Amino acid sequence: MDNKAYLPIFLDETRENIQLISENLLTLEENPANRDALDELFRATHTIKGMSATMGYEGISLLAHEMENYLDMVRNDEVTLSSSVINAFFEIVDEIEANIRSLEENGTCKGTNHTLINSIATLLKEHCQPEPDDTGANNKIEIRLELSDDCALKAARLLTVYNRLDGIGNIVTSEPGYEDLVASRADKYFTCILDTNASQEQLEAVLDNCMDLQDYSIVPLKPVEQENPEPAPDTLTRAKSHHTIRIDTDKMDHLLNLVSELVINKTSIQQAAAQAPEMTDNVEHLHRLTSDLQAIVMKMRMIPIETVFNRFPRMVRDCSRSLAKSVQLQIFGGETELDRTIIEDIADPLVHLIRNAIDHGIESEEERKAAGKTPQGTIVLRAFQTGNQVIIEVSDDGRGLDLERIRQKLREQNLALPADIGEWELMNSIFMPGFSTSSAVTDISGRGVGLDVAKKSIEAMGGTIQVASEHGLGTNFTIRLPLTLAIIQGLLVQSGPEIYVVPLSFVRETEIIYREDIQKVGSQDIVMLRGKVLPVVNLCDLMQVPDAVPGEELNLVIVRQGNRELGLIVDDLLGQQEIVIKTINWGDVYFKTFLGATILGDGSVVLIIDVNTLLVPFKDKEDGKVGESIRNI
C-alpha cells in the first residue's frame, strides 16, 4: 500500500496528538489524580500507535506501544506515574517528534531506536508493581477471529483489531504477535488472550465495528466474578463531531492569490465605472461580494495563537529544571487569532524571549527569597487584539535589566555610546547583534544572538518589539504584529510624480501644515502640533524624488508605532483602499524602506512604505516606561 498520499494527514494528526500528550503529562505532573488528563493522554498515545503502525513506521509505533502499556496499568491503578516515568515519557515524545521532523524533511523515519525503547521498557518495568493474582477483578478472555477471504490488507486489518482490543484491556498474548502484524506477517486468522473487565456486549460491539471480519468467538477462560462489572472507560479514540475538514495549505494560498487578483480587478472596475453612472449598482454589488469573499478567505487563514503558546509549558519546565530554578508559565489570550503565515514565524522569536527570561530574568530561589519575592518565578505570556494588530507580551517578575551593566558592556564592546543616551536606548540596545550581558555561554543563551534574531524576524513580519524593565521588578517585551500579511488597508499618497502606500494601521491622523510651520532643531525638521514637538520628513527628500517642488500648503501624514511618531510631508492624499501586498526580494539595502509592492486598479505598480524602518532613527517619547504587565504579575 502506498501511504505517501496519507503522509500529510498523518503528520498533522500526530503533531496534534504529541501536543495533547505534552499538555496532559504536564497536567498529571501537577495533579497525578486527574483522570480526564490520564484518559486523554492514553487516547492520544493509542492513536499515534495505531496510525504509525498502519503507515508502517515501526519505530514510532513501538515507542507509543511501550508508553501505552504503562498508561493502561496506571488507569487500572496497578502502578503510579512517578516523576522519572514522566521524564521517560517526555523522552518518548522527543523521539517521536524527531521522527516526525525526519519524515517531513526527508520522507523517511529516523528508524527504530531500540536503545531508547529498551531503556524505557526497563525503566517502566522497574516501576511496575507485582502483577495482581488471579483473584483480581479482570477476566481473561480468549478471542478467535477470521477475516474474509477477499480482505486486501489482512495485516493492517488485524492490527486495527489488535489496537482496539488492547484499548479495552491488556492483550496478554496473541498469534500472530504485535511485531508480526507491524511487519505485515499475518494471514486471515488471529487469536489472543485478553485481560479485561469489559463485558461480553462491549467486546462484541468492538469486533462488530471491525471491517472484513468473517467470524469471531469470545470465550471466557475463567468464571466471571462480578455479575455487573463496572464498564471500562471507553479507550477508543472517538472521532469528535466537528464541522471541519482539513485543507492543504497550498490550496489555501492559491485561493488567497485568486482573491487578491479579484480585489485588484475590482478596484480597476470601480475606477472605470466612475465614468459610467449606470454601472454604479452593479459595481457596488461586485464590491460587496468581493469584500465578503475576501473576509471569508482571510478568516479561513486565521489560527488561534494557542497553537504556538501550547508548545511553551514543556519548554519552560525543561529549561527551568536544567537551570535549577522554579518557574511557572501563565498563558492568557490563547484564543487570539493570527494569519497562519505569521503564526508559523512567531514561534522562534518567542522561544528566544522565554528562554532568555528563564536564564537571565528569573533569579534562583535563594536570590528571590533574599529579595522578598516568592521562591517561584513567573513568566506571563499574553496575547490580545487591538484594531488590526495583535499584541503579544512576554513578562517576567525577575531581576529586570541592569542598566549600568548594559552601559558597561557597551563600552567593553566598543559600541557607539552617546553621552546623553537615555534609559530607553540602553534597554533596547539588548537587541543589538552580538550584545549580551551574560558572562557565561550556556546551551540556553549567552551568545548575544537570540534577541537580535528575534527582532529581525519580527520586523520581517511587519511587526515591532520593544522592551521595558525596572531593576529588581521584572522585564516586559511587547510585540506588535499585523493581523495578516496578505491584504491590508492602505493610504495612497503622492510625492512629486510618485505614488506610495502607507499601511493604514500605522497612520494616526492627517493634518494640513504650512511651510512656515516647519522649524529646525539641530538637523531635524519639526513642527509643533497641539503643543507637542513632532519630527517631520519630506517624503520627496526621503525617496530622493527628482524635480519635486513642494507648495506652501503641505499634507502631513502622522505615522505612529509604539511610542514613536513621525510626520511624513506629502504632496497629496489620494485616498484609502484595500491593497494586496506582493512580496519582492529586493536584494538591496535601499529597498529595505519598503514592505513590498502592490498593483493599483489602473495596473500601475506602487511601493508600500515600511513605517518601522522610517521610525528607527526617532527616539521613543516615553523613555524607560515599564509595562503594566510587569506590575500585574
Side-chain angles (χ1 to χ4, degrees):
M1 180 174 67
D2 184 7
N3 292 323
K4 290 182 180 178
Y6 306 106
L7 183 58
I9 298 174
F10 170 75
L11 293 175
D12 286 344
E13 294 191 359
T14 304
R15 283 198 194 91
E16 291 173 5
N17 283 298
I18 286 174
Q19 184 61 46
L20 282 175
I21 290 173
S22 296
E23 290 174 16
N24 287 294
L25 281 175
L26 291 172
T27 301
L28 289 167
E29 193 171 43
E30 294 292 326
N31 179 16
N34 190 320
R35 189 73 187 184
D36 291 339
L38 178 61
D39 287 343
E40 191 167 28
L41 173 61
F42 184 89
R43 285 194 290 269
T45 308
H46 181 77
T47 302
I48 289 179
K49 170 186 164 183
M51 289 173 56
S52 55
T54 303
M55 293 289 290
Y57 304 133
E58 182 189 27
I60 300 176
S61 179
L62 290 176
L63 286 167
H65 183 65
E66 292 295 337
M67 189 167 167
E68 184 192 49
N69 280 346
Y70 193 89
L71 289 174
D72 191 46
M73 289 188 284
V74 176
R75 296 197 322 159
N76 292 327
D77 298 324
E78 298 170 12
V79 294
T80 57
L81 270 178
S82 65
S83 176
S84 57
V85 171
I86 288 179
N87 287 336
F89 284 172
F90 275 128
E91 284 188 53
I92 291 177
V93 170
D94 291 341
E95 183 67 14
I96 294 175
E97 279 188 316
N99 275 281
I100 294 301
R101 283 195 299 273
S102 177
L103 271 172
E104 189 172 44
E105 295 169 0
N106 311 316
T108 58
C109 269
K110 285 177 54 186
T112 305
N113 189 339
H114 291 288
T115 303
L116 176 62
I117 292 173
N118 292 335
S119 65
I120 296 293
T122 302
L123 175 68
L124 298 184
K125 285 178 181 175
E126 290 174 355
H127 287 76
C128 289
Q129 295 175 354
E131 293 280 340
D133 59 25
D134 289 340
T135 61
N138 285 355
N139 302 309
K140 287 187 170 55
I141 308 289
E142 183 185 66
I143 297 176
R144 293 178 178 272
L145 58 88
E146 177 183 354
L147 296 175
S148 58
D149 291 332
D150 57 353
C151 176
L153 300 169
K154 293 184 174 61
R157 287 282 178 260
L158 291 179
L159 188 59
T160 301
V161 175
Y162 184 103
N163 288 332
R164 291 185 178 181
L165 291 174
D166 207 30
I168 60 170
N170 180 36
I171 293 182
V172 179
T173 180
S174 72
E175 181 59 36
Y178 178 79
E179 286 75 16
D180 291 329
L181 294 176
V182 170
S184 299
R185 295 192 294 267
D187 55 19
K188 65 177 185 177
Y189 298 104
F190 177 80
T191 302
C192 74
I193 304 298
L194 181 68
D195 190 0
T196 180
N197 59 3
S199 65
Q200 176 88 4
E201 291 75 16
Q202 287 174 309
L203 291 169
E204 290 177 354
V206 169
L207 294 172
D208 287 343
N209 285 326
C210 293
M211 298 177 63
D212 297 325
L213 281 193
Q214 180 171 297
D215 193 16
Y216 66 80
S217 64
I218 301 173
V219 180
L221 295 183
K222 70 174 187 175
V224 179
E225 298 180 355
Q226 292 177 291
E227 293 184 359
N228 298 305
E230 184 180 348
D234 184 2
T235 58
L236 296 180
T237 304
R238 296 186 184 281
K240 295 181 179 178
S241 178
H242 290 307
H243 299 289
T244 58
I245 59 172
R246 292 179 185 273
I247 301 176
D248 190 286
T249 53
D250 289 341
K251 293 179 181 176
M252 288 290 299
D253 290 342
H254 184 56
L255 178 60
L256 177 64
N257 286 334
L258 293 176
V259 172
S260 301
E261 295 300 322
L262 191 60
V263 170
I264 293 171
N265 282 279
K266 177 199 71 176
T267 306
S268 176
I269 294 172
Q270 282 178 318
Q271 292 178 356
Q275 309 302 322
E278 67 276 12
M279 295 178 62
T280 301
D281 289 345
N282 289 333
V283 171
E284 180 60 28
H285 185 56
L286 173 64
H287 171 69
R288 287 198 300 272
L289 290 177
T290 307
S291 299
D292 289 346
L293 179 59
Q294 176 190 332
I296 291 172
V297 172
M298 299 308 296
K299 185 68 178 173
M300 290 167 65
R301 292 171 56 87
M302 303 300 276
I303 300 174
I305 201 168
E306 65 184 3
T307 56
V308 174
F309 283 5
N310 288 342
R311 304 175 190 177
F312 298 132
R314 164 81 191 282
M315 187 189 78
V316 169
R317 169 193 182 272
D318 293 347
C319 285
S320 57
R321 288 190 173 201
S322 68
L323 294 169
K325 294 181 179 180
S326 177
V327 183
Q328 65 168 332
L329 175 65
Q330 297 178 355
I331 296 177
F332 302 96
E335 71 282 0
T336 307
E337 293 186 327
L338 266 174
D339 189 286
R340 78 165 185 87
T341 54
I342 299 178
I343 287 279
E344 291 171 356
D345 293 337
I346 194 58
D348 286 345
L350 290 177
V351 166
H352 286 305
L353 295 180
I354 294 174
R355 288 165 68 95
N356 268 284
I358 298 171
D359 199 7
H360 299 308
I362 302 295
E363 312 94 328
S364 65
E365 290 189 19
E366 293 72 21
E367 287 179 87
R368 292 183 65 85
K369 288 176 183 176
K373 297 181 178 180
T374 58
Q376 186 177 48
T378 300
I379 295 175
V380 174
L381 193 55
R382 179 183 289 108
F384 57 93
Q385 182 180 343
T386 172
N388 56 0
Q389 289 186 325
V390 166
I391 312 296
I392 301 175
E393 293 180 342
V394 182
S395 309
D396 69 71
D397 65 347
R399 57 175 63 93
L401 296 178
D402 185 343
L403 296 185
E404 285 308 311
R405 176 70 174 155
I406 294 174
R407 193 189 303 273
Q408 179 186 348
K409 290 297 289 188
L410 286 170
R411 287 174 176 151
E412 289 175 1
Q413 296 180 18
N414 296 319
L415 295 172
L417 186 61
D420 61 344
I421 187 170
E423 289 188 355
W424 188 88
E425 285 93 342
L426 277 175
M427 288 182 194
N428 284 274
S429 63
I430 62 176
F431 295 112
M432 296 173 66
F435 181 82
S436 174
T437 58
S438 176
S439 56
V441 176
T442 68
D443 59 348
I444 294 179
S445 61
R447 297 185 185 277
V449 294
L451 291 177
D452 168 39
V453 172
K455 185 171 186 285
K456 288 180 178 176
S457 299
I458 291 167
E459 289 180 346
M461 290 182 269
T464 62
I465 179 171
Q466 289 182 314
V467 60
S469 181
E470 188 166 317
H471 191 51
L473 183 59
T475 305
N476 176 53
F477 291 90
T478 301
I479 300 170
R480 296 173 184 271
L481 294 168
L483 277 176
T484 177
L485 297 178
I487 302 176
I488 64 171
Q489 290 285 325
L491 175 65
L492 271 63
V493 300
Q494 185 163 8
S495 286
E498 303 293 337
I499 295 176
Y500 300 97
V501 175
V502 182
L504 207 58
S505 58
F506 293 99
V507 178
R508 197 192 78 183
E509 61 178 303
T510 59
E511 287 282 345
I512 298 292
I513 62 172
Y514 298 91
R515 291 184 61 80
E516 56 267 28
D517 295 333
I518 301 176
Q519 305 172 43
K520 194 171 279 292
V521 176
S523 60
Q524 177 63 56
D525 289 337
I526 61 108
V527 297
M528 296 299 296
L529 190 66
R530 292 187 282 277
K532 294 183 178 179
V533 175
L534 177 70
V536 297
V537 295
N538 193 314
L539 198 56
C540 284
D541 297 336
L542 198 65
M543 301 300 172
Q544 301 178 15
V545 177
D547 305 324
V549 182
E552 289 301 314
E553 186 177 281
L554 306 170
N555 292 286
L556 189 66
V557 179
I558 302 172
V559 294
R560 178 180 178 120
Q561 182 58 52
N563 295 317
R564 297 180 174 190
E565 285 186 353
L566 175 67
L568 288 176
I569 298 173
V570 299
D571 293 345
D572 200 4
L573 305 176
L574 303 181
Q576 167 189 341
Q577 73 173 55
E578 291 169 338
I579 61 165
V580 179
I581 298 178
K582 301 290 186 182
T583 303
I584 301 174
N585 184 12
W586 301 108
D588 192 312
V589 175
Y590 171 76
F591 288 106
K592 284 186 177 178
T593 313
F594 303 106
L595 281 176
T598 190
I599 303 172
L600 299 183
D602 61 0
S604 60
V605 178
V606 299
L607 298 171
I608 305 167
I609 293 175
D610 184 353
V611 175
N612 283 329
T613 304
L614 288 184
L615 289 172
V616 167
F618 298 95
K619 184 180 177 182
D620 190 281
K621 287 188 170 184
E622 300 176 44
D623 287 357
K625 182 179 180 181
V626 178
E628 289 299 319
S629 299
I630 300 174
R631 302 184 186 281
N632 292 333
I633 292 179

